[in-house]
Amino acid sequence: MRIGIIVAALTLIISQAVFAQEAGTSIADLRSEEPLADNATPPVMPKTEDKAGRRVRNYPEQPPTIPHEIDGYQVTKNANKCLSCHARNRTGESGAPMLSITHFMDRDYQFLATVSPRRYFCNQCHVPQMDVKPMIENEFVDIDSLILPKNKE
Ligand code: HEC
Ligand code: HEC
C-alpha cells in the first residue's frame, strides 16, 4: 500500500518534469529561447520597403504586393485613401496603376460603374513588404522554372 503511494508520487513527479521540459522547449522556440520568466526584448520594427517600380507577381492571379508605404492611409466605410490615387479618374494625376477591371465586377460577374464593395477593402488582399528574414523556409517554385525543358535548366 505504502509502496504503491510512493511509486504513484514518483511517477507523477517524473512525468511533470518531462512535461515541463517538453513544454519549455516548444515555448522557448517561439520566444527565441528567452527563459520563460524573463521578458524578451522585442526585435526592432523593420522598415516598409518603399521603392519606385512594381514587383513581379509569383503567379498571374496574385494580388500584386504594394511597393510603397501605406502608413496612415485610411480605408474605412467613409474614406478610402488608396482610391485617391488608384481610382480610374485619379490615375492621370497620381501616375498610379488603375485597379484592374476585375475590381469593378460583382459576384455575378457584372461590371459596376465603380469599385465593387467586395474589392473596397484593399488591404484584405494587397500588402506592403518588409526586408526581413523569412520565419520559415519557403520552397515555392515559379511555374516558369517548373515547365522549363530539362536541357535548358
Ligand atoms: C499618393 C498616391 C498613392 C496612394 C494614396 C496609394 N498608392 Fe498604391 N501606388 C501608387 C503609385 C504611383 C504606384 C506605382 C509605383 C511605381 O510604379 O513605381 C502604386 C503601386 C501600387 C501597387 C502595385 C501595383 C502593381 O501592379 O504592381 C499596389 C498593389 C498598390 N499601389 C496598392 C495600394 C493600396 C492598397 C493603397 C492604400 C492602402 C495605395 N496603393 C495607396 C500611388 C499610390
Ligand atoms: C479580394 C482581393 C482584392 C481586393 C479587396 C483588392 N484587390 Fe487589387 N488585385 C487583386 C488581384 C487578385 C489582382 C491581380 C489580378 C487582377 O487584376 O484582378 C489585383 C490587382 C490590382 C492592381 C494592379 C492592376 C493592374 O492592372 O496592374 C492594383 C493597382 C490594385 N489591385 C489595387 C487595389 C486597390 C487600390 C484596392 C482597394 C480599393 C484593391 N486592389 C482591392 C485582388 C484584390
Side-chain angles (χ1 to χ4, degrees):
M1 173 68 183
R2 200 166 283 170
I3 289 182
I5 293 175
I6 293 171
V7 170
L10 273 180
T11 320
L12 188 71
I13 291 168
I14 292 170
S15 66
Q16 275 188 339
V18 169
F19 176 74
Q21 203 176 9
E22 278 177 4
T25 14
S26 59
I27 292 172
D29 284 349
L30 292 176
R31 291 170 48 87
S32 1
E33 320 246 316
E34 193 75 18
L36 267 182
D38 295 347
N39 281 329
T41 318
V44 179
M45 289 264 284
K47 244 183 100 59
T48 309
E49 273 188 18
D50 193 21
K51 295 183 193 146
R54 293 153 78 169
R55 295 197 193 91
V56 174
R57 299 182 207 183
N58 286 326
Y59 49 94
E61 303 87 352
Q62 185 206 309
T65 51
I66 308 175
H68 54 72
E69 283 183 333
I70 57 163
D71 296 3
Y73 287 0
Q74 233 185 63
V75 181
T76 65
K77 184 166 71 69
N78 304 321
N80 185 320
K81 178 71 181 167
C82 317
L83 288 176
S84 70
C85 290
H86 287 280
R88 182 186 56 84
N89 56 4
R90 304 305 287 267
T91 52
E93 220 176 298
S94 65
M98 189 189 106
L99 334 160
S100 62
I101 186 66
T102 55
H103 293 48
F104 289 54
M105 246 190 248
D106 68 12
R107 63 181 178 184
D108 301 318
Y109 298 99
Q110 295 299 309
F111 291 108
L112 310 176
T114 182
V115 60
S116 168
R118 63 187 194 144
R119 292 289 174 108
Y120 181 82
F121 292 102
C122 319
N123 307 122
Q124 260 177 281
C125 306
H126 297 283
V127 287
Q129 300 289 290
M130 289 163 178
D131 191 12
V132 288
K133 201 168 140 264
M135 291 180 89
I136 51 167
E137 195 189 343
N138 186 343
E139 294 169 359
F140 178 81
V141 180
D142 191 295
I143 188 74
D144 288 353
S145 339
L146 271 183
I147 58 179
L148 261 187
K150 280 267 176 284
N151 56 8
K152 281 204 185 152
E153 267 178 46

